[in-house]
Amino acid sequence: MNPQTTPTHPTPTNSGSTDPTALVAHLRATFRTGRTKPLAWRKEQLTRLRALLTEHRDDIAGALHADLRKPRAEAYAAEVDFPIREIDHTLERLDEWLRPETVDPAEVTGVFGPGATAGTQYDPLGVVLVIAPWNYPAQLLLVPLAGALAAGNAVLVKPSELAPATSALLAGLLPRYLDREAVTVVEGGVEETTALLAQRFDHIFYTGNGTVGRIVMRAAAEHLTPVTLELGGKSPVFVDRGVDVDAVATRLADAKFRNAGQTCVAPDYVLTDPVTARALEAALSEAIEKLYGADPAASERYGRLVNERHFDRVEALLDSGRTVVGGQHDRADRYIAPTVLADVRPDSPVMREEIFGPVLPIVEVDGLDEAIGFINDRDKPLALYGFTDNETTRQRLATETSSGGLGFGLPMAHLRLPELPFGGVGESGTGAYHGPHSIATFSHRKARLDVPLG
Ligand code: NAD
């Protein structure tokens, strides 16, 4: 199927209305019937979502290419196989995750007498709103959707208008695979999202930037709706003296320049000492050439900036330091070469905002103490990465800094394990998901006490 010709379906529920109030009322009515609660329904939805992904791998990759010039291998790995793995992991363990927990009977009878029991159960929340961004527009819509369905909710999903081919494709496919009474897709931008946010949901799951995160949280506060905010920020990388810089450069370049740097957990900047910085400059140049060849513009493996606004934003950061490699750019093609900047001052433009593009600044520090101070002087990042052979350094980074996630040796890999919570802290977000953490996010853990009358 050609994603460009896929019809859009702004109103795929059986309610037949485009009015947000009516759409949410329809989902709420569905939820009230109890239809979404049985385990069999949840598993069926997950299985169907899996079928959508396997049967439309190529359509999804095609839409991602149209939106972001996303390389095929990257599209399959991050936006098809990743959600499939998440679904499989959930299907295998859902019964176990949802099993009610009981309090030690001796504790309960000690307080309430013989026969009393107590425990907790996971209740679905009701109607969940998922608002997705454009950078991984399939994964970041479908993985939260899978979690919300696994937890037994009705769901309204809003794909990003900045990835229009993927948005249209998913809006066309989701109602064909999932229960249309319980899952609705609304396409659109600010106007449509604003109208949705005026409704009362039982949970709002937002992925994107902190400015909109604040808008979402304010709107949610009106209804006391809990939110998960998956935001971004500048994720630092500390490279210790004496590490194998070639190995570091290979892994760092691969993580940084994937999706042309437009990944929320991409390494944003490097903190290292002057000697290691020099060695890293040469190693990064080599690693980039190995990954993308002498001319990354001609490489099938290299993506583009999502639109001209983001191109202009990132292009303006290019003279924030000495260019070690890269710097070439072409607005008509939304191309910015993988770029490494050295001698970058902490107050330069590239250090004042999340880069979200293919520019890697190296900032020099004396050593670990200064690096920890540098990190703690700034917003809590979504991820912190370290390359070190020293256990004390690892411990200090782990205990003396705060970040959504922490990765040693392999950047951007921690989110591939569904058993690890994925989320931010402070400015990088609130709440977490993946695997059992999605169940916790999209459920209410209800306390239950049962005391016999007689
Ligand atoms: P985006 O522009 O696609 O926005 C995200 C969503 O917010 C879209 O659905 C959009 O329609 C909606 N939106 C935009 N403006 C709005 C408004 N004024 N009112 C209501 N809704 C509005 O995505 P983005 O924010 O450009 O994405 C990039 C940011 O997202 C980066 O900061 C990145 O780090 C972060 N991010 C975080 C994660 C994560 O998992 N933590 C993942 C991807 C991206």
Side-chain angles (χ1 to χ4, degrees):
M1 188 195 305
N2 178 351
Q4 305 296 357
T5 58
T6 305
T8 61
H9 290 249
T11 58
T13 71
N14 286 346
S15 71
S17 171
T18 51
D19 169 37
T21 308
L23 290 175
V24 176
H26 187 87
L27 292 172
R28 194 167 297 287
T30 299
F31 181 74
R32 287 245 180 96
T33 65
R35 181 190 182 98
T36 64
K37 289 184 180 173
L39 259 173
W41 182 89
R42 305 182 194 196
K43 288 181 182 172
E44 192 190 347
Q45 298 309 306
L46 292 179
T47 307
R48 289 188 192 178
L49 192 52
R50 192 187 196 288
L52 182 161
L53 285 156
T54 54
E55 287 165 21
H56 294 278
R57 293 174 69 80
D58 295 338
D59 300 324
I60 294 169
L64 291 162
H65 196 265
D67 286 331
L68 289 149
R69 194 92 79 83
K70 196 168 276 212
R72 296 249 155 199
E74 251 182 58
Y76 290 131
E79 311 242 27
V80 178
D81 294 335
F82 187 105
I84 288 176
R85 263 204 322 279
E86 178 79 19
I87 289 170
D88 288 345
H89 186 84
T90 301
L91 282 170
E92 277 164 28
R93 293 165 180 80
L94 190 57
D95 297 56
E96 179 198 322
W97 292 341
L98 291 171
R99 203 164 289 144
E101 289 155 8
T102 51
V103 178
D104 178 359
E107 294 257 350
V108 187
T109 53
V111 178
F112 296 104
T117 58
T120 52
Q121 68 181 54
Y122 281 104
D123 282 355
L125 292 169
V127 183
V128 169
L129 171 63
V130 174
I131 304 175
W134 51 264
N135 61 335
Y136 289 84
Q139 180 199 131
L140 298 176
L141 185 90
L142 300 179
V143 173
L145 170 62
L149 291 172
N153 297 284
V155 192
L156 196 157
V157 291
K158 213 293 289 174
S160 174
E161 73 281 16
L162 299 184
T166 311
S167 175
L169 178 71
L170 293 176
L173 290 177
L174 284 167
R176 281 174 40 201
Y177 281 81
L178 300 182
D179 183 346
R180 294 167 64 131
E181 300 297 328
V183 180
T184 295
V185 188
V186 172
E187 290 191 84
V190 176
E191 190 188 329
E192 290 78 4
T193 314
T194 305
L196 286 173
L197 286 172
Q199 307 303 313
R200 187 169 78 77
F201 289 92
D202 298 290
H203 193 94
I204 300 177
F205 187 102
Y206 168 78
T207 304
N209 65 74
T211 306
V212 178
R214 283 169 169 79
I215 295 173
V216 169
M217 204 165 183
R218 265 185 222 116
E222 277 304 307
H223 303 284
L224 288 180
T225 297
V227 293
T228 303
L229 301 177
E230 295 281 340
L231 311 177
K234 292 180 85 62
S235 296
V237 183
F238 176 71
V239 183
D240 207 0
R241 239 176 231 122
V243 289
D244 175 348
V245 285
D246 292 324
V248 171
T250 302
R251 293 183 179 187
L252 196 49
D254 179 44
K256 173 73 192 188
F257 300 111
R258 225 182 281 168
N259 205 28
Q262 299 162 114
T263 305
C264 55
V265 284
D268 190 275
Y269 64 96
V270 173
L271 289 174
T272 194
D273 65 276
V275 174
T276 311
R278 289 297 91 72
L280 205 52
E281 286 175 23
L284 279 166
S285 306
E286 237 177 74
I288 290 169
E289 186 163 345
K290 260 193 214 142
L291 275 171
Y292 305 113
D295 179 17
S299 169
E300 272 302 302
R301 299 183 60 186
Y302 191 64
R304 295 296 183 270
L305 279 293
V306 65
N307 57 28
E308 288 178 353
R309 184 172 65 80
H310 279 278
F311 174 91
D312 292 342
R313 186 183 58 74
V314 178
E315 197 253 341
L317 305 177
L318 287 174
D319 49 14
S320 293
R322 171 170 54 84
T323 307
V324 173
V325 59
Q328 302 82 358
H329 51 276
D330 175 2
R331 192 170 196 266
D333 192 25
R334 300 190 327 258
Y335 168 76
I336 295 181
T339 300
V340 177
L341 300 177
D343 306 334
V344 173
R345 290 165 47 96
D347 58 352
S348 65
V350 78
M351 291 303 295
R352 281 193 225 131
E353 58 176 272
E354 177 181 3
I355 298 166
F356 223 56
V359 182
L360 182 64
I362 301 176
V363 177
E364 291 178 18
V365 286
D366 289 345
L368 184 62
D369 284 337
E370 195 184 340
I372 289 175
F374 193 97
I375 294 162
N376 289 338
D377 280 346
R378 289 163 174 76
D379 291 335
K380 292 178 183 177
L382 185 57
L384 168 63
Y385 303 115
F387 288 100
T388 178
D389 298 326
N390 185 317
E391 184 51 31
T392 308
T393 303
R394 265 196 286 273
Q395 271 313 316
R396 288 198 55 199
L397 283 170
T399 55
E400 295 179 31
T401 68
S402 175
S403 57
L406 173 64
F408 290 114
L410 191 60
M412 302 211 311
H414 57 294
L415 56 96
R416 296 196 331 232
L417 282 178
E419 294 292 329
L420 286 180
F422 181 63
V425 57
E427 278 285 324
S428 57
T430 182
Y433 72 128
H434 286 182
H437 313 287
S438 293
I439 302 302
T441 286
F442 293 117
S443 307
H444 168 60
R445 196 158 170 243
K446 185 160 75 183
R448 177 178 163 153
L449 173 68
D450 203 331
V451 182
L453 263 180

